[in-house]
Amino acid sequence: MVDYLWNTQSPLQKALVPGCHGATGAHPGVTLREVRDIVLVQVMARRGKAAETAKAAKKLFGVEAPATPKAVIGKTATLVWSGPDQFTVIAPRTDEASQLAAMAQAFTGSASLSDQSDGRCLIRVSGARARDAIAKFSSLDLHDSVFPVGTAANTSVDHTAVNFWREANGTDGHPVYNMLVFTSFSDSLWHTIVDSSLEYGVEASSAKAA
Amino acid sequence: MRIACPFCGERENGEFTYLGDASPKRPNFAADSGESPERVEDAFYDYVYLRDNVAGFMREYWYHGGGCRSWLIAERNTVTHEFRSVIAAPGVGAANPVQAGE
Ligand SMILES: [Zn+2]
């Protein structure tokens, strides 16, 4: 009998080469980071239960769940709009079982939950030229006047669904964008982002969610 | 062509899929209504197969599969591609009940 060994590994195991790539300069124009160890749960209000779902979210996370394409930061998680009466909960993975249990309890009877923690890959793109790099493969208008901090969008990149949102600017003052993609497409998307960023210089790494 | 999704805002048409005329309503005969089989059959034939070939504005189903995954109803001019309105189809989200025949 064959023994199978199942090892947990990042979907970017091959694609992610840590370090600086492309143009060299004082500062890389784009910083690219795989954010690992996340807990990700899709929350969809059941028919006629939108108000109850919003109430349960407020109680659990201390913030109003987004009713429009926005990302809001709650006590223990970020809530990202993902469609009418639905949103995605993203949190650093601490004790996954108890994190999921707390949500299951909070939304009993009001919403349906779907654990996507290992189904998606979170990629964070930031830096002075992040917007220029993203503009090459996304049709979203990311101008500050249209896409300020806290804006979210469900969109397609190369026919692949991407949950996209902008968080607070980095300590360097430059914008920070998050892209959530199906794990099986993350390799392809990562290459697309790197290729789009090479002319600005790109620094690639991975980090645990915090 | 860009389509203004009522949930997501204006997006490129590549994010959307076209279904067709949103006007036909599914015939809704009660099982014991006593309608003749011919009339029921005619009504379903009309609903399933017969479509108007509109030159001008028509109500159409579009699906925002590359975005919020909602069904939408758009009023589009088939001659000029002008969109007059785009609204959520009945039943989208958790709040709206599905209407019979939609
Ligand atoms: Zn949409």
Side-chain angles (χ1 to χ4, degrees), chain A residues 42 45-50 69 81-86 139-140 152-156 161 163, chain B residues 2 7-9 11-12 14-15 64-70 91-98:
Chain A
Q42 175 77 23
R46 294 185 184 162
R47 192 155 300 285
K49 303 281 185 181
W81 183 90
S82 63
D85 299 322
Q86 54 177 283
S139 61
L140 291 177
N154 282 15
T155 187
S156 292
N163 296 83
Chain B
R2 292 173 73 79
F7 301 109
C8 303
R11 295 293 178 81
E12 56 152 334
E15 289 192 357
H64 195 190
C68 61
R69 301 185 303 276
S70 297
V92 166
N96 304 327
V98 180

Side-chain angles (χ1 to χ4, degrees), chain A residues 8-11 34-42 88-101 103 113-122 180-184 209:
Chain A
T8 307
Q9 66 173 43
S10 158
E34 182 203 359
V35 182
R36 294 183 176 172
D37 295 313
I38 52 169
V39 165
L40 193 70
V41 178
Q42 175 77 23
T88 302
V89 176
I90 298 151
R93 187 181 304 211
T94 50
D95 174 1
E96 188 174 10
S98 62
Q99 285 172 289
L100 295 175
M103 288 191 62
L113 311 186
S114 171
D115 177 12
Q116 301 291 323
S117 304
D118 294 305
R120 309 288 173 97
C121 177
L122 179 56
L180 204 53
V181 64
F182 295 118
T183 48
S184 53

Side-chain angles (χ1 to χ4, degrees), chain A residues 152-169:
Chain A
N154 282 15
T155 187
S156 292
V157 173
D158 288 341
H159 307 278
T160 300
V162 170
N163 296 83
F164 195 100
W165 74 97
R166 180 175 175 185
E167 61 177 63
N169 289 352

